[in-house]
Amino acid sequence: MSLFFRCQKCYFPNTKPSLHFDDEKVCFACKYTDYYEKEIDWDQKLDNFYELCKEIKKNKTSDYDCIIPVSGGKDSTYQVHLITKIGQLKPLLVSFEPSYPTKVGEYNLNNLTNSFNCDLIQLKKSKDTYKKLAKIGFDVVGDHEWPNHVGIFAWPIQIAAAHNINTLFYGESQGLIGLGRWDKLVNQQLIDREWVEQYVGMNGLRLTDILEFDKSIKKEDVIPYSYPDEKLLKEKKISPLFTGNYFKWDHQKIIDFIEKEYKWKRADKPTDGDYDNFEDTDCGFMPMHQYFKFIKYGYGRATDHASYEIRHNRMTKEQAKNLIISHEGKIPRTHFREFLDFLNIDEEYFIKIRNKFTNPILFKKDNNQELITDNEGELILEDDWIKSFN
C-alpha cells in the first residue's frame, strides 16, 4: 500500500500539512466546503458583520477604523471592497514588501489606493537582513519565503498596536483549504499567536532560534518579523479576524467582480507551476516556494487550484488530473537567475538544497539511493504519484 494518497473527492494529498481525512479518505477541505456552502446562514453572517462594524465605529481608539493587510492580490482587493463599501469603515492598508515585486503586483497594490480612497503603508524592509533570513529559510526548512510569511502576520499587528487600532481583517476562512481539525475549521475566529506559530511558523523554530544560524543578525534587525506579546494584544484589545467568516468566498466570482468593478489585473501568462494566472502575481519568487512545496509534499499550486475547482463543481477530476500532471514539478525558470542572485548562490548549490528537501517516497532513486534526474535536471516522480490519481 502506498504511503501517498489523495482525497477521494478532490486531489489534495495526505502529505499536505495540517490536512485531515475522514474514514472514507475524504479531506476536511472537501467536508468543510460542503458545510460552508450548505449549512452556514450567510444572511446571519452579514448581520453579524454589520454589528461588528457598528462596534468598531463605537469603540474606535484611532482615526482609522481598522487595518487590512494587503498585497494587491485578488483576496486583499476584495477585502478592501467589503470593508469600505459594505462595512463603511475607514481602513489603513498595510503591505509587507514582497521578495521580488512584479509590475502587475505593483499596479494592483497602487490600484487599491486609487480605487478605494485608502491610505497605504508599505514596509520597505532592509534588503540585507531580509536576504539573510531568506537564505536561512532556504537552507534550514527549504522555504526562502519564510520571513515574508511571518512578516505578513507580525508587522501589521505591530502597526495596529502602535496606532491603537483594534481590528485587523485578513482574507478567506482557513477551512476552505482544510487547515486543521474539524473544531478549528468551524470555530476559528481570531488569528492569534498559536495560529501563526502552527500555520505560518518555521517548523517549530522561533525567531530567536533562527538568529542562531547567522550571528551577524541582531535582534533589532528583525523587528518586523517579531509577533507582539499576547499580553500587549490583550491590553490593546487587538483582534485579527478572517473576513471570510462573514462573507461567502469564491475565487472565480471574486476575480470576475474585481476585474469588472476595479480594473484588477491578472498576470499576462500562467504562473510557473500553475495553469492559471491569478495567484502569486505580486512576487516573482513565489513559484519557487510552490516548487519546494511540491518536492516536499508532492503537490503545488496547480493541485491547490484544480482541487478547489473540483470542490466547486467547475472541473472534472480528469480535467484536474491532466492540468496537475502538465504543470507541476518543474524548476521555475522565469526568474530563476534572479533567484540565485538574490540568495547569492549558484545552480549547483540550489540543486544540493533541492535534493536535501526532496521527499524520498515520491521521487525515483538509483541503487545507491541517489535521486535520479532527467537530461534537464528535473526530478523523476515515482509511479505511485501517478497511480494516486486513480
Side-chain angles (χ1 to χ4, degrees):
M1 179 180 175
S2 174
L3 296 174
F4 180 81
F5 65 86
R6 297 178 187 271
C7 173
Q8 292 297 298
K9 287 191 174 182
C10 75
Y11 280 137
F12 268 176
N14 66 311
T15 49
K16 177 178 168 60
S18 299
L19 180 68
H20 298 273
F21 291 77
D22 66 14
D23 293 338
E24 282 75 43
K25 292 187 177 179
V26 174
C27 78
F28 278 15
C30 284
K31 291 174 70 68
Y32 184 83
T33 299
D34 288 341
Y35 165 83
Y36 191 81
E37 295 287 334
K38 299 172 184 176
E39 298 186 36
I40 293 178
D41 184 342
W42 290 106
D43 290 334
Q44 181 60 54
K45 289 286 190 179
L46 181 58
D47 288 341
N48 294 344
F49 179 72
Y50 285 138
E51 288 300 316
L52 172 65
C53 292
K54 288 179 183 178
E55 287 297 313
I56 290 172
K57 283 283 191 182
K58 178 181 177 181
N59 299 316
K60 62 186 293 184
T61 54
S62 170
D63 292 333
Y64 295 100
D65 296 323
C66 61
I67 280 177
I68 309 177
V70 297
S71 66
K74 65 184 190 320
D75 291 332
S76 58
T77 299
Y78 190 54
Q79 285 166 244
V80 180
H81 161 76
L82 295 173
I83 301 307
T84 60
K85 304 302 184 183
I86 308 301
Q88 295 294 304
L89 298 179
K90 180 68 175 180
L92 173 63
L93 309 185
V94 177
S95 175
F96 195 87
E97 184 185 26
S99 302
Y100 189 75
T102 64
K103 289 184 178 180
V104 69
E106 290 175 346
Y107 164 83
N108 284 329
L109 187 64
N110 291 331
N111 191 47
L112 292 176
T113 59
N114 297 332
S115 296
F116 298 102
N117 189 32
C118 289
D119 299 324
L120 168 71
I121 297 175
Q122 184 181 50
L123 176 66
K124 292 286 186 179
K125 53 195 182 302
S126 162
K127 286 184 168 50
D128 181 62
T129 297
Y130 185 76
K131 286 182 177 183
K132 289 178 180 179
L133 292 173
K135 179 64 162 49
I136 293 170
F138 184 68
D139 289 345
V140 176
V141 294
D143 187 5
H144 72 280
E145 284 294 319
W146 168 78
N148 185 279
H149 293 149
V150 171
I152 286 169
F153 288 96
W155 193 65
I157 302 291
Q158 292 184 20
I159 296 298
H163 290 269
N164 295 312
I165 302 172
N166 302 125
T167 309
L168 297 90
F169 287 100
Y170 284 87
E172 66 180 337
S173 165
Q174 66 176 17
L176 292 177
I177 54 175
L179 284 180
R181 297 190 179 277
W182 188 252
D183 61 332
K184 284 284 188 182
L185 299 185
V186 175
N187 299 316
Q188 186 82 28
Q189 299 292 324
L190 288 173
I191 301 174
D192 54 16
R193 175 184 288 276
E194 178 185 357
W195 189 93
V196 172
E197 289 179 348
Q198 183 170 0
Y199 300 116
V200 185
M202 186 97 161
N203 286 20
L205 296 174
R206 298 162 297 181
L207 186 60
T208 51
D209 299 323
I210 299 306
L211 299 186
E212 294 298 316
F213 291 96
D214 188 336
K215 298 294 186 180
S216 71
I217 305 175
K218 307 302 180 186
K219 188 176 181 179
E220 58 267 27
D221 296 332
V222 293
I223 293 171
Y225 313 93
S226 303
Y227 199 83
D229 184 82
E230 285 292 332
K231 183 179 179 181
L232 173 65
L233 300 185
K234 288 180 181 179
E235 289 176 357
K236 296 278 188 177
K237 298 180 180 179
I238 293 175
S239 299
L241 304 170
F242 292 104
T243 315
N245 282 337
Y246 300 96
F247 294 92
K248 202 170 184 179
W249 223 260
D250 185 323
H251 293 173
Q252 297 303 334
K253 291 179 181 179
I254 287 172
I255 292 167
D256 290 344
F257 176 76
I258 61 177
E259 283 181 323
K260 178 182 177 182
E261 294 295 324
Y262 299 113
K263 296 182 173 59
W264 182 84
K265 289 184 178 180
R266 300 167 176 253
D268 58 6
K269 64 177 183 178
T271 308
D272 290 357
D274 196 4
Y275 59 86
D276 219 323
N277 60 346
F278 63 81
E279 194 87 68
D280 302 331
T281 60
D282 63 311
C283 179
F285 291 163
M286 277 303 293
M288 192 61 73
H289 167 77
Q290 294 296 331
Y291 174 70
F292 270 75
K293 186 172 82 176
F294 183 86
I295 66 169
K296 288 188 245 182
Y297 307 118
Y299 81 105
R301 198 50 113 184
T303 299
D304 288 335
H305 291 155
S307 296
Y308 188 91
E309 293 303 298
I310 291 172
R311 292 195 290 274
H312 287 79
N313 302 309
R314 291 190 289 252
M315 186 179 289
T316 67
K317 292 188 75 175
E318 187 63 24
Q319 290 171 325
K321 171 185 173 180
N322 292 333
L323 288 170
I324 292 168
I325 292 173
S326 298
H327 291 87
E328 286 187 346
K330 305 294 184 184
I331 297 172
R333 295 288 179 179
T334 300
H335 298 295
F336 185 55
R337 207 40 59 184
E338 292 88 343
F339 178 76
L340 298 181
D341 291 342
F342 172 75
L343 293 182
N344 194 26
I345 61 175
D346 57 21
E347 189 162 351
E348 181 180 357
Y349 188 90
F350 171 84
I351 295 299
K352 173 186 173 183
I353 298 298
R354 188 273 307 269
N355 292 352
K356 171 184 173 181
F357 289 103
T358 297
N359 192 324
I361 73 168
L362 296 177
F363 295 91
K364 291 185 179 294
K365 300 173 290 298
D366 61 22
N367 292 334
N368 296 318
Q369 297 302 301
E370 297 291 333
L371 291 164
I372 301 172
T373 57
D374 62 18
N375 293 332
E376 296 180 348
E378 302 289 356
L379 297 165
I380 301 174
L381 284 156
E382 287 281 6
D383 295 340
D384 281 350
W385 187 85
I386 296 293
K387 292 177 182 178
S388 66
F389 287 100
N390 299 325

